[in-house]
Amino acid sequence: MLHNVAKTGGHLSSNLGTVELTVALHYVFNTPHDRLVWDVGHQTYPHKILTGRREGMPSLRQLGGISGFPRRDESEYDTFGTAHSSTSISAALGMALAARQKGEDRKAVAVIGDGAMTAGMAFEALNNAGVERDARLLVVLNDNDMSISPPVGALNRYLAQLMSGQFYSAARHVGRTVLGQVPPLFELAKRLEQGAKGMVTPATLFEKFGFNYIGPIDGHDLDALIPTLENIRELMQDKAGPQFLHVVTKKGQGYKLAEADPIAYHGPGKFDPAVGLVKPATPPKPTFTQVFGQWLCDMAEQDPRLVGITPAMREGSGMVEFHRRFPDRYYDVGIAEQHAVTFAAGLACEGLKPVVAIYSTFLQRGYDQLIHDVAIQNLPVVFALDRAGLVGADGATHAGNYDIAYLRCIPNVSLACPADERECRQLLSTAFAQDHPVAVRYPRGAGVGVEPLKDLEALPFGKGEIRRAGQRIAILAFGTLLYPALQAAERLGATVVNMRWAKPLDTELLLQVAASHEALVTLEEGAIMGGAGSAVAEALAAAGVVKPLLQLGLPDEFIEHGDPARLLALQGLDAAGIEAAVRRRYAADLALPAAPALKAVA
C-alpha cells in the first residue's frame, strides 16, 4: 500500500491505521455474503488489496484506474459506494433489515471513524438501529484520535472478550428472566452492570441507544480483534441485538513518518517512502485555498465582526493560520454541515459576519438549512466554496459541479465566480460587504498565477467586464475557464466577457454584447443543466432577444477520477475543445477566421 500510494498519491495515514482491522473483519466474517460497509471510504485501500485489486493498485485514482473509494460497480466486496462521511450505519442497518425481511442469513458490519461520529446522521441511524432488537448489525467505531493508554492493554482485552462472550450474554439473559419478575432487583442489577462497565469502558452512551457496547480494544492487535469479533459474530447469529465494538487505532501505523505527522500524510501526492514528504525547491504558485486563508486573516484583522466556520476541514479549507491568530473567532463544528450553516445563521442574527469555509460538494449536505435558515431570513453569511468544478483524483463524489445550479435558484442568494487568484480575493471582499447571503466559488489547486493585491479592494457587485474585444461571436466565461476562452478567442477573433457573477447576472452587459454580436457562447466549469448558461438563456428570453447560443460546461453525467486538466480536455473545456466546439456550431453560418487547430491535452 505504501509503495503504491507513494507513486500515485492518495489517502495514506488513515489506510495505514486500518490494516489489522481490515484483516480481522475479512477473516471473521463471510464477506461479501456478510455485508461490510466502510464509512467515508478513505481507509479502504487494505480492503481493496485483499479483495482482488492488488494488481490494480498502481492505477489508484488514475484515469481509467480503480477508485480511491468503495464503488459497487468495481467489486462485489464494495457493498455500498461512499466518499462522504457518516452514512455507514444507515446503509448497514438497511442491509441488515433487508436480510431479515428476505429471510437471508447474513450479517451487516459498519466501520465508522470517530470523526464521522460527530455527524447527526450517524446518531439518527443509531437511534433507529437501537430499537431493531433482532437486527444482525455490528457497528465498529474506529477511534484513531485517542491514544492507546494502559487500560487498553491485556486487562481491557480480557474484559472486551469477556463482555462479547457467550457466558456474559447468557448471564445477562438469565438476569433479565429471573430478576425481571422482581422489578426493583432487576433495576439494581442493571445499574450495577452499567456501573461496572462504566469503570473500565469509556462510553455507556451507546448502551442507551440499545447497543451492546464492547471495548475499547487495540485495533492493531489481531490476538484481541479476532476472538472479540468471533464472539460478536456468534451474538449476531443468536440475534442478541445490535452490537457496538470500539477499537482504538493509530493513523499512520507502521510508517514512522506518517505516525509522527498523520495530517500531512492524510492525502499526500507522490513521494519517496524512504525520504518522506519534502518541500519543493521552488515554492509553487499559491492555491485558491491559500488565497482564501490569507484574505480571511486580513479581513478579520480589519473587521472584528468576522467569524470563521469549518465543518472539520481546517487544513483543507486553508484556515490553519486563522485558527492560530484568531482562536476565539474560529469554530470547527465537526462533520456537521447542516449545523454549520444554521450555526452561521444564528451568529448572523446577532450582528456578526460569519464566513463558512466549505467544499462545494459538502454544502449539498446543508441545502435545506441554506434555504430555510439563511436565505429566507436574508442573513449576511459568506460561503467560501472550495473545490468548485472538477476535483481530479477524488472523482464524482467530491466534484463541485452543481453549486451554480443549486444556488442560483434560491432567492436572496448571490454567487460569484472569480477567474483567477486576484479576483478571488477581491470578490471575497465584495461578498463580505453585502447584507445578504453570498457564495464565492473557486476550484481546487492554483490558478494562472495572477498575484492578489495586498489591500482588501472589492469589485463592483454583480458586474462583469469585457476582457477581449472581437467580432461576430462573444464568449461569456464564468470563472477560471476565462483563460482557455481567451486562448480560443485569439484564434476565432471572438469577444470574451468575464462575467464574474452567475447571480445576479450582469444583464446590462449581456444585452449590450448580444446586440453587437451574431452569436453567443457560455462557458462554465459546472453542470450545464440549470447552470450559468441557463441563466443567460433565461435572461435573453425575458428580454425578447433571440440569438444563437452555445452552452459549454459539464454534461449530465458523473465524471470519473483522473488528472483535472485531462478531465477538462475530455469534456471539451480546454482551449482546443472550446475552439473546436465553436467551429462545429457556427462555421456553417459565420465566416470564422481559419487557424490550425490547437493541440488538445494528451
Side-chain angles (χ1 to χ4, degrees), residues 469-552:
Q471 297 180 334
R472 315 201 77 172
I473 294 175
I475 302 175
L476 281 59
F478 294 83
T480 55
L481 293 184
L482 169 71
Y483 288 92
L486 288 168
Q487 287 180 267
E490 287 292 333
R491 308 170 66 78
L492 294 166
T495 292
V496 176
V497 183
N498 177 19
M499 292 298 292
R500 285 185 180 146
W501 293 86
K503 184 183 179 183
L505 204 62
D506 189 345
T507 52
E508 181 182 356
L509 179 59
L510 169 63
L511 296 177
Q512 171 193 326
V513 169
S516 56
H517 292 79
E518 298 174 50
L520 302 175
V521 179
T522 60
L523 184 60
E524 61 193 300
E525 192 177 338
I528 294 175
M529 295 183 70
S534 295
V536 169
E538 293 160 10
L540 292 173
V545 175
V546 179
K547 191 74 63 171
L549 175 64
L550 171 63
Q551 294 172 237
L552 300 179

Side-chain angles (χ1 to χ4, degrees), residues 39-54:
D39 210 280
V40 185
H42 61 206
Q43 75 283 50
T44 54
Y45 298 176
H47 163 80
K48 288 176 182 278
I49 291 169
L50 290 180
T51 55
R53 286 166 279 183
R54 181 177 181 178

Side-chain angles (χ1 to χ4, degrees), residues 131-176:
V131 299
E132 301 293 345
R133 302 307 306 161
D134 59 347
R136 289 174 172 166
L137 172 69
L138 166 62
V139 175
V140 179
L141 172 60
N142 175 29
D143 185 348
N144 55 27
D145 193 38
M146 169 182 170
S147 62
I148 301 176
S149 52
V152 191
L155 175 62
N156 204 267
R157 179 198 304 177
Y158 168 75
L159 289 168
Q161 292 182 32
L162 175 66
M163 286 188 289
S164 66
Q166 292 296 320
F167 174 79
Y168 180 78
S169 178
R172 295 179 77 195
H173 177 70
V174 170
R176 287 195 184 95

Side-chain angles (χ1 to χ4, degrees), residues 173-192:
H173 177 70
V174 170
R176 287 195 184 95
T177 303
V178 176
L179 298 178
Q181 306 304 316
V182 188
L185 291 178
F186 176 74
E187 187 61 29
L188 175 62
K190 188 175 179 183
R191 289 184 181 181
L192 286 172

Side-chain angles (χ1 to χ4, degrees), residues 303-550:
D303 193 330
R305 298 175 301 162
L306 184 149
V307 291
I309 302 168
T310 176
M313 296 301 296
R314 184 187 68 165
E315 285 77 17
S317 293
M319 297 182 72
V320 174
E321 181 65 13
F322 178 80
H323 182 202
R324 186 189 69 81
R325 291 177 55 186
F326 304 97
D328 294 338
R329 294 155 66 184
Y330 166 83
Y331 297 97
D332 183 345
V333 300
I335 303 175
E337 295 86 357
Q338 294 170 291
H339 165 61
V341 176
T342 303
F343 173 56
L347 291 167
C349 283
E350 299 302 319
L352 298 182
K353 295 280 284 186
V355 177
V356 180
I358 188 169
Y359 291 7
S360 170
T361 184
F362 295 150
L363 184 57
Q364 294 162 185
R365 308 187 87 179
Y367 193 63
D368 177 68
Q369 290 70 26
L370 176 62
I371 296 173
H372 188 274
D373 301 331
V374 175
I376 289 178
Q377 302 185 93
N378 201 26
L379 295 170
V381 179
V382 174
F383 294 93
L385 296 190
D386 205 327
R387 271 63 166 178
L390 297 175
V391 292
D394 282 339
T397 55
H398 282 62
N401 298 355
Y402 315 108
D403 50 64
I404 298 177
Y406 74 62
L407 285 174
R408 75 175 194 85
C409 63
I410 305 174
N412 294 333
V413 176
S414 298
L415 176 60
C417 310
D420 53 43
E421 300 89 335
R422 178 175 295 176
E423 279 196 358
C424 185
R425 182 176 170 95
Q426 291 173 310
L427 288 173
L428 284 165
S429 293
T430 306
F432 191 77
Q434 307 310 308
D435 59 359
H436 66 274
V438 184
V440 180
R441 76 185 305 260
Y442 47 89
R444 182 177 190 173
V448 294
V450 180
E451 186 177 354
L453 301 174
K454 299 297 183 184
D455 59 24
L456 292 166
E457 175 190 355
L459 291 171
F461 178 76
K463 294 296 181 182
E465 61 169 359
I466 294 176
R467 287 289 289 265
R468 184 188 188 277
Q471 297 180 334
R472 315 201 77 172
I473 294 175
I475 302 175
L476 281 59
F478 294 83
T480 55
L481 293 184
L482 169 71
Y483 288 92
L486 288 168
Q487 287 180 267
E490 287 292 333
R491 308 170 66 78
L492 294 166
T495 292
V496 176
V497 183
N498 177 19
M499 292 298 292
R500 285 185 180 146
W501 293 86
K503 184 183 179 183
L505 204 62
D506 189 345
T507 52
E508 181 182 356
L509 179 59
L510 169 63
L511 296 177
Q512 171 193 326
V513 169
S516 56
H517 292 79
E518 298 174 50
L520 302 175
V521 179
T522 60
L523 184 60
E524 61 193 300
E525 192 177 338
I528 294 175
M529 295 183 70
S534 295
V536 169
E538 293 160 10
L540 292 173
V545 175
V546 179
K547 191 74 63 171
L549 175 64
L550 171 63

Side-chain angles (χ1 to χ4, degrees), residues 218-238:
D218 185 346
H220 302 298
D221 183 354
L222 288 172
D223 291 332
L225 280 171
I226 289 174
T228 301
L229 286 170
E230 287 174 337
N231 285 335
I232 292 172
R233 181 190 62 199
E234 296 308 310
L235 291 176
M236 296 170 76
Q237 189 64 33
D238 294 341

Side-chain angles (χ1 to χ4, degrees), residues 63-148:
L63 186 64
I66 64 175
S67 171
F69 300 98
R71 287 183 48 152
R72 283 168 51 83
D73 60 1
E74 188 176 287
S75 170
E76 64 177 338
Y77 287 90
D78 292 1
T79 60
F80 195 75
T82 186
H84 285 192
S85 86
S86 314
T87 61
S88 60
I89 305 175
S90 299
L93 176 61
M95 293 173 182
L97 297 187
R100 183 184 70 182
Q101 182 168 322
K102 294 162 67 179
E104 296 174 346
D105 182 15
R106 72 170 84 243
K107 303 165 185 67
V109 181
V111 184
I112 183 169
D114 54 295
M117 283 297 295
T118 64
M121 185 175 178
F123 284 89
E124 291 171 18
L126 289 173
N127 186 55
N128 186 187
V131 299
E132 301 293 345
R133 302 307 306 161
D134 59 347
R136 289 174 172 166
L137 172 69
L138 166 62
V139 175
V140 179
L141 172 60
N142 175 29
D143 185 348
N144 55 27
D145 193 38
M146 169 182 170
S147 62
I148 301 176

